[in-house]
Amino acid sequence: MGKKQAGTGPLSRRPDNSAFKQQRLPAWSPSLTPQTVLPTFYILSLVCLLLGIWLLITVEYTYELKVDYTDAGTCEQCFNLRKHAIDSSTPCKCTVSFHVPKTFPRVSFQHDVVRLSARCLPQGDVFFYYGLRNFHQNLRRYMDSRDDAQMVGRKNNLKAPSSYCAPFDYDANGKPIAPCGAVANSMFNDSLTVMYNPTDGSKIQVPLYRKGIAWYTDKNVKFRNPPTNNTFSLQQAFEGTTRPLYWQRPVYELDDTDSNNNGFINDDLIVWMREAAFPNFKKLYGVLNRAQGPFTEGLPAGNYTLSINYNFPVEPFRGRKELVISMVTWFGGQNYFLPIAYLVTSGLILVTAVVLTTVFVKVGKKGKNMEE
Amino acid sequence: TKLNFSSALEEERHVRANDRDYNERFSYADNRIKTAKYNVFTFLPINLFEQFQRFANAYFLVLLILQLIPEISSLSWFTTIVPLVLVLAITAVKDATDDYFRHKSDQQVNTRQSQVLIKGKLQNEKWMNVRVGDIIKLENNQFVAADLLLLSSSEPYGLCYIETAELDGETNLKVRQALTVTSDLGDDVAKLADFSGEVICEPPNNKLDKFTGTLCWKDNKYSLDNEKMLLRGCVLRNTEWCFGLVIFAGLQTKLMQNCGRTKFKRTSIDKLMNTLVLWIFGFLICMGIILAIGNTIWEQKVGSDFWEYLQWKELTINAVFSGFLTFWSYIIILNTVVPISLYVSVEVLRLGHSYFINWDRRMYYSRKDTPAEARTTTLNEELGQVEFIFSDKTGTLTQNIMVFNKCSINGKTYGDVYDEFGHKVDITEKTPCVDFSFNPLMDRKFRFHDSSLVEAIKLEEPLVQEFFRLLALCHTIMPEERNEGELVYQAQSPDEGALVTAARNFGFVFRSRTPETITLYEMGQAVTYQLLAILDFNNVRKRMSVIVRNPKGQLKLYSKGADTILFDRLDPSNEELMFTTSEHLNEFAGEGLRTLALAYKDLDEDVFDEWMKKLLFASTALDNREEKLGALYEEIEQGMLLLGATAIEDKLQEGVPETIACLTLANIKIWVLTGDKLETAMNIGYSCNMLRDDMNTVFIISGHTMLEVQQELSKDKFSSGLDMEKTELYSSDSVFEETIIAEYALIINGHSLAHALEADLEQILVDVACLCKTVICCRVTPLQKALVVELIKRHKRAVTLAIGDGANDVSMIKTAHIGVGISGQEGMQAVLASDYSFAQFRYLQRLLLVHGRWSYHRMCNFLCYFFYKNFAFTLVHFWYGFLCGFSAQTVYDQWFITLFNIVYTSLPVLAMGLFDQDVNEQYSLRFPNLYRPGQLNQLFNKRKFFTCTLQGVCTSFILFFIPYGAFMTAVRDDGAHISDQQTFAVTIATSLVIVVSVQIGLDTNYWTAVNHFFIWGSLAVYFAILFAMHSDGIFTIFPNQFPFIGTARNSLNQKIVWLVILLTTVVCIMPMVAVRFIKADLYPTQTDKVRLLQQATRKQGPQEQNLRRVRRTSSRRSAYAFAHQQGYGELITSGKNMKVPTSSTSTYPLSSPTRGLTGTSSASICKCFRHQKH
């Protein structure tokens, strides 16, 4: 395999004297010296400590409230009614009362330090999530059971859903289902209304933005309706398809308040279609509209009633449903894991650093046995 | 006639000359050589078939098929097929290139021209068209195309000379003689065309020195033996032309039969890797089973409640079936623990390392324009694990050049150079040489440094003259002279050549000989001596003498021989001189020179006549002729007068003692296996510093029967203070072993070796030999060389390396784990069989200590990292299984799985595997004990494998559970949820890529620009591809293939994602840093120490390297060994090898019958002896 060069001189086969070929490329050879390793450990420990503290303070001043309404209040009857997913035709309504002990978001800060960090907090936004427990959106075949080409509004896929959707691709009559697949079919379809009950006995419905809750890319790229125009309505575009098995309404009538929120670009559908990674999850339902009334500062403390159009059955898989009211921080929702993890890591690194230093100073050879 | 048509069952070969029709009936092999495996059409099917025979490739094919089953397909087909096609393609390209070169070399050999007698005419034909039964004509210096029966030649008596270096490594010329009946055919083409003899002979075999057959021609039968055969691979020398009948052709020639099938060599890392891959498969199946059981349980407990949402019929049948399907799904998902790119990456690394060897200027020999060459590209890391080196002697350790170095004449030594203060000066290249310009017939290449000898000659000191006269007369050399003064000697042994050349330069020029005379040119005067008798050399006599009558009519006997022999036959009056000379001999021997004593005697006319009559009578005796002659020789070689002694240096290759010393320090045991005699071998042992005077004992085993050998071996064993139990007890304790072996040496000869290699004794042999620091086997056959290597391979499980230059080393080169050929010599046989070749023995040091060590280090680091990386990558799926109902849901995007190994993480580790240097080359050579870890297999073994896979498992655990913890409750900073599977996938994938990149950064000791480029580039490429695959454009084209649209954008702009990535990286990496730091601090390896030293010195600036000079301390008395064959005296006195006087081209005044010379033959000799006389 030696390359014989064409030249015929006396040294024609002499290899080139290049740094690359002679393996003498200039190089940096770092090694783990005490001068680099020990400071790194201390600095990392400090960084983690500071981050951990910052995160912890942030989390401490956020607030989250969970209302499990699976079988609470008057919902027990509905809960029993929905033992089978297929029994979706009978409507069932119920209410659950709950109490908000503190105003969302908390506005008064005791410490200046905290006030500084609180600048990063979103001012008064309150988020309403629906939470599901023990619902496995992450099963492989469940996750695969969708047709993104259909949801992007492709005509062909609308009429001929992907085989991944089976058995939710065609109904008993052979009509294609839109949107097809198990994910869409099992869409969360409870509707939640929260009423504020101030002490004066009145009832004020908590106003929610129900739109703009999905990712921008999902709403504008990933999910598109089949092409429509002034003469050609959305309903006509979905002509020849049928609604998913468990749905009460066809996809083009999902939102009866806003015709632009129908079809595949319905926000609730989009949120649902972004499958959760774990069996316990929460998905955004709405954002508090702080335009008026007592809600300009956030969600006031006091009594509330949650009224539910109870459609989504959880009893079969021993699941739970809940309403989660939360505020967000600069790094997301209320999340104790990260600050604690950072603090633990910081501690461990510090311990290691101390051990390393001790070993290096006391026990280690400090390079004394390094000579030949 | 009964014909045997099957060549496979060939019992007897019938060849009829000039009768192709007849010979074709037997379907003998033709002369085409084919070593290539494929042609254009068969390449694809055969190569694919071969590749799928590899376990890993077949496995991936099965995986691919599994992935096509929708029920279990947990990954798209492209995740497997993309890497598989890439791997297959790279391998195929490499195989194709290799085969192309084989085709080219085959082509080159097959299209060599030879002259074939066809239909009464000589025609040029390609070698491949030569058939059995053809008569071909060879000219001087041509390679013999096939195994030929010599028919006739240009020389008298049908003699012809061949060089067999390619066959047996011997560089001296050999004589072949044709049958008289056929040699009468001469070069008469018509007669040759009519020749219709039929040869009946043995079937093809691999015995180089044996041939039996009969020639039937004109109703007569003539027996044929090996002396009439010219074998393929030989070169015709000193013979203008010859004709031969092709007996064996092509693959059936003895040469090709000896080549055997090249064994495919595998390195120990390869074998280990295969075992590990099997283990990983086992592990994979275990995990599959665990997860399948988990799935079964989950389906029963939880999943069954979920069926309302997932109405799959087959799952509703039962949970066990679901588990079964899940098993296969997980096998597909987890297949990346067996890295598909492992084998191909390893191949790429080895190829790169091979190129570095080819490119190394320090292994390039400028004098012969020969660079080092890695001919096998699959063995490099094994070069870092060698424990035994088996070396040939001639041409490998020594240059096979004899140089007349010193002499002692009448009690005075010549040859040393002294400065003005009387101190001895070391002779170097620059030392001024003696000016021989007074002598027009001198040999210009001859160098001598002591001018006092020339002065003595010029002063015409009688004994000095007699000394050189003896050297010029007493030998069996044939001279050749083309033009005036262009004198070339054709010597049987290089020793004789050196002596006669010395005499020539000192004014006693041996110019020509006839059967009866020898003509010298003594100080410009032509003197013709009458040659009366040659008392030839043999192994018992260890001397040779000539009896001549000088022009004055005096009868003289000149004798040269081993000192011990000659001293016994001296005249008592010589005693004092004998002692002085003896001292000088000791001195010479101490310097590793080969010595020879010279003596002469004046003969009485009457005594000589009487003796001559007896000699004539004895030489016609029918029985005991040899003994009778021997007794007569003995009778006349008595009472001689000592002249002095010569000392010849068997020139070592450059740097041999230093190299051996360095390799010994690296704990490599060097065994010398040589065809030479015991004395020669020992001599070289001393001059290479392998044998030393301070060694406790040098065991010499030379028994002739099994029993003797056994006794000698056992005796040695006991005398070394060790019995079998102790050996076993301490065999694992290397320290103990080292202290023992420091003291002993073992020398064993071929006869004894034959016995010792038998089953009963081999264990003792291995035990004894391994206790010895030095082992020299002399008089061994090529086969025995291989057997010795095999023995060590079998008993010691150590990596062996064989190095040699001749065809006699081929078997051992092929047997050893690594074969090294010395290139740049005449014969190429060894190089062709070797795995590595270079021009000088000393390059071995660099090959092993620098290239080998680096290769091993790089390969081991590479493998550790590779397994770590794949475990970290893959096992995340295992942990996810517990959260996703064991449904074989992948964590990552499928494209990430496809590209992770081949794009995102392949180049940094390849750069590390190609360029890393833990210690630079100077320090590698300065501290040979850095080689130890390779021999002890320390850098990659099963334990290391467990460590790095465990590290991978831990990393995967952290990689999964930290994001899991963080994502359980996470939302975006705008409240939208990001605990979806896609964000989770991107987060883990990004963490993984960063963690493994940091890890490779930690593993890289030597950051060249390439490393920087690859490491940072890989990260950049990862993000680039990530964003590209999650981009709007690609989604709108293939919505179903790229469902991750927008995930990268929406997750990587979140602080929480980066917080998770940072935490994961820190937690994964810091423990590794701590462990490494503490290891280097508490238990620094030799490498750590040298690294530190290297860094310390680099700060101080470069230092002058202190080269260890090896001093020869030997003072052992060495005996001269004649390296030539017996029987040449007879050839000379019978005049058989001399031409009938023809019109000489010489203008030289004394026109005694000289040999008619032609241009070609003279040129041939020059070439032939080029390597003997520089």
Side-chain angles (χ1 to χ4, degrees), chain B residues 208-224:
Chain B
L208 288 174
D209 52 353
K210 203 179 135 279
F211 177 78
T212 47
T214 42
L215 171 70
C216 308
W217 189 34
K218 292 182 181 168
D219 302 327
N220 282 325
K221 286 194 173 180
Y222 307 92
S223 87
L224 303 174

Side-chain angles (χ1 to χ4, degrees), chain B residues 85-135:
Chain B
V85 167
L86 209 72
V87 165
L88 292 181
I90 292 175
T91 317
V93 166
K94 185 172 171 278
D95 289 348
T97 328
D98 286 354
D99 210 51
Y100 171 71
F101 284 114
R102 279 196 289 267
H103 269 293
K104 256 175 72 172
S105 85
D106 284 356
Q107 184 76 3
Q108 197 228 326
V109 172
N110 283 333
T111 55
R112 282 190 195 162
Q113 295 290 323
S114 68
Q115 300 180 54
V116 183
L117 190 64
I118 300 173
K119 291 175 189 157
K121 270 191 223 157
L122 273 179
Q123 293 179 3
N124 269 334
E125 271 287 0
K126 290 173 180 169
W127 274 28
M128 60 183 178
N129 296 330
V130 172
R131 295 280 140 75
V132 170
D134 287 353
I135 290 178

Side-chain angles (χ1 to χ4, degrees), chain A residues 1 15 22-23 25 28-30 129 140-141 154 167 217 222 246 274-275 277-278 313 316 318 333 335 342, chain B residues 301 305 308-309 359 361 377 858 880 887 917 966 975 980-982 1005-1007 1036 1043 1050 1059 1091 1095:
Chain A
M1 50 162 289
Q22 301 308 316
Q23 304 199 60
L25 286 176
W28 171 58
S29 353
Y129 301 88
R140 172 171 59 90
R141 305 194 59 183
R154 293 202 169 175
T217 47
K222 195 172 182 183
Y246 294 175
R274 189 151 280 282
E275 298 127 331
F278 310 112
R318 297 189 289 276
N335 188 340
Y342 265 102
Chain B
K301 294 262 163 74
D305 307 331
E308 302 254 16
Y309 291 106
W359 285 333
R361 273 168 87 96
T377 55
R858 290 165 180 171
Y880 195 41
S887 64
Q917 302 180 5
D980 63 304
Q981 194 268 340
Q982 294 190 338
N1005 294 309
Y1006 192 77
W1007 287 69
T1036 25
N1050 283 298
L1059 284 172
R1091 262 175 78 84
Q1095 268 161 0

Side-chain angles (χ1 to χ4, degrees), chain B residues 408-672:
Chain B
S408 158
I409 305 174
N410 197 24
K412 185 170 186 302
T413 57
Y414 299 94
D416 285 325
V417 183
Y418 297 91
D419 61 14
E420 59 263 41
F421 310 110
H423 296 301
K424 211 189 223 179
V425 178
D426 277 342
I427 290 171
T428 61
E429 294 271 303
K430 286 171 195 149
T431 316
C433 289
V434 172
D435 181 22
F436 289 111
S437 55
F438 66 89
N439 179 1
L441 288 170
M442 66 167 179
D443 182 348
R444 278 167 212 290
K445 285 169 216 142
F446 183 80
R447 299 166 78 86
F448 200 75
H449 303 282
D450 184 4
S451 54
S452 60
L453 191 53
V454 177
E455 280 155 26
I457 279 281
K458 285 180 177 164
L459 289 172
E460 302 192 352
E461 282 181 30
L463 280 172
V464 176
Q465 290 192 332
E466 199 68 2
F467 180 88
F468 286 112
R469 190 172 291 130
L470 188 156
L471 290 182
L473 289 172
C474 180
H475 55 79
T476 55
I477 283 175
M478 293 298 299
E480 293 203 27
E481 189 169 13
R482 173 153 165 68
N483 294 319
E484 175 77 32
E486 226 178 81
L487 196 58
V488 177
Y489 295 137
Q490 178 213 324
Q492 278 304 304
S493 77
D495 298 67
E496 279 203 322
L499 293 174
V500 179
T501 306
R504 167 182 171 182
N505 275 42
F506 284 103
F508 286 79
V509 187
F510 167 59
R511 196 126 188 211
S512 65
R513 74 154 83 232
T514 66
E516 288 91 29
T517 61
I518 295 175
T519 303
L520 301 190
Y521 228 53
E522 292 182 3
M523 303 306 288
Q525 298 287 322
V527 185
T528 303
Y529 292 83
Q530 232 183 316
L531 179 62
L532 300 172
I534 295 180
L535 284 57
D536 204 1
F537 169 86
N538 73 27
N539 275 323
V540 185
R541 283 164 45 77
K542 292 190 177 167
R543 64 187 183 272
M544 79 166 283
S545 309
V546 289
I547 301 173
V548 293
R549 189 194 300 275
N550 66 16
K552 290 173 196 158
Q554 291 164 318
L555 279 177
K556 294 246 185 190
L557 179 142
Y558 291 111
S559 185
K560 65 175 180 185
D563 46 19
T564 46
I565 303 281
L566 275 194
F567 285 1
D568 290 345
R569 290 163 181 77
L570 292 181
D571 193 75
S573 64
N574 259 198
E575 199 158 316
E576 202 177 324
L577 180 59
M578 195 179 92
F579 281 126
T580 327
T581 310
S582 197
E583 260 170 47
H584 293 159
L585 282 171
N586 280 339
E587 211 173 282
F588 297 155
E591 291 164 39
L593 303 175
R594 294 159 73 140
T595 58
L596 182 67
L598 310 181
Y600 76 104
K601 181 182 175 185
D602 290 315
L603 287 180
D604 229 25
E605 200 77 36
D606 300 341
V607 177
F608 176 70
D609 285 346
E610 187 72 11
W611 181 79
M612 203 63 194
K613 273 177 204 154
K614 281 194 258 175
L615 187 70
L616 280 173
F617 181 70
S619 60
T620 51
L622 289 176
D623 47 17
N624 291 339
R625 183 166 158 263
E626 293 289 312
E627 279 116 81
K628 282 177 184 164
L629 283 177
L632 276 175
Y633 291 167
E634 184 81 37
E635 185 188 315
I636 200 142
E637 289 167 331
Q638 291 292 343
M640 296 186 286
L641 297 170
L642 188 62
L643 264 177
T646 59
I648 294 175
E649 185 181 358
D650 185 359
K651 269 203 146 179
L652 289 178
Q653 298 273 4
E654 275 173 70
V656 165
E658 290 85 354
T659 306
I660 287 178
C662 184
L663 292 176
T664 310
L665 282 176
N667 203 38
I668 300 173
K669 298 195 180 82
I670 302 171
W671 293 26
V672 174

Side-chain angles (χ1 to χ4, degrees), chain B residues 144 157 183 261 432 451 571 581 645 695 789 901 915 924 965 1104 1171:
Chain B
V144 178
Y157 304 99
S183 72
R261 183 160 287 183
S451 54
D571 193 75
T581 310
M695 285 185 147
V789 176
N901 258 325
F915 302 117
S924 300
E1104 200 51 47
H1171 53 284

Side-chain angles (χ1 to χ4, degrees), chain B residues 717-856:
Chain B
K717 198 179 187 91
F718 287 116
S719 62
S720 66
L722 256 135
D723 51 37
M724 193 77 99
E725 283 169 59
K726 257 189 178 167
T727 326
E728 277 164 14
L729 191 62
Y730 290 108
S731 58
S732 58
D733 188 344
S734 59
V735 181
F736 180 79
E737 204 174 313
E738 268 165 35
T739 57
I740 291 296
I741 60 169
E743 319 291 338
Y744 303 99
L746 178 77
I747 297 169
I748 184 163
N749 74 15
H751 291 295
S752 312
L753 196 60
H755 295 297
L757 285 174
E758 277 169 35
D760 305 345
L761 287 184
E762 61 176 33
Q763 186 61 49
I764 309 184
L765 177 70
V766 171
D767 288 344
V768 172
C770 289
L771 288 175
C772 293
K773 186 155 184 165
T774 300
V775 178
I776 297 176
C777 306
C778 41
R779 280 262 165 244
V780 290
T781 62
L783 181 69
Q784 281 181 326
K785 287 186 177 187
L787 286 177
V788 171
V789 176
E790 186 67 47
L791 181 76
I792 295 300
K793 266 173 88 174
R794 227 174 331 117
H795 283 266
K796 298 297 283 186
R797 287 189 174 182
V799 178
T800 56
L801 180 145
I803 179 166
D805 70 319
N808 53 344
D809 306 315
V810 168
S811 59
M812 111 177 145
I813 283 174
K814 281 188 175 169
T815 310
H817 291 103
I818 301 164
V820 179
I822 299 286
S823 55
Q825 313 278 344
E826 292 268 319
M828 286 292 283
Q829 219 52 44
V831 171
L832 290 177
S834 67
D835 304 309
Y836 297 90
S837 72
F838 42 69
Q840 291 273 297
F841 179 79
R842 67 188 145 108
Y843 297 151
L844 193 58
Q845 182 181 357
R846 195 170 166 80
L847 183 73
L848 297 186
L849 296 189
V850 178
H851 288 285
R853 211 184 71 81
W854 277 348
S855 279
Y856 176 70

Side-chain angles (χ1 to χ4, degrees), chain A residues 30-43, chain B residues 1070 1073 1077:
Chain A
S31 61
L32 300 178
T33 60
Q35 290 76 24
T36 53
V37 171
L38 296 180
T40 311
F41 269 87
Y42 285 108
I43 291 169
Chain B
M1070 289 325 273
V1073 177
F1077 174 74

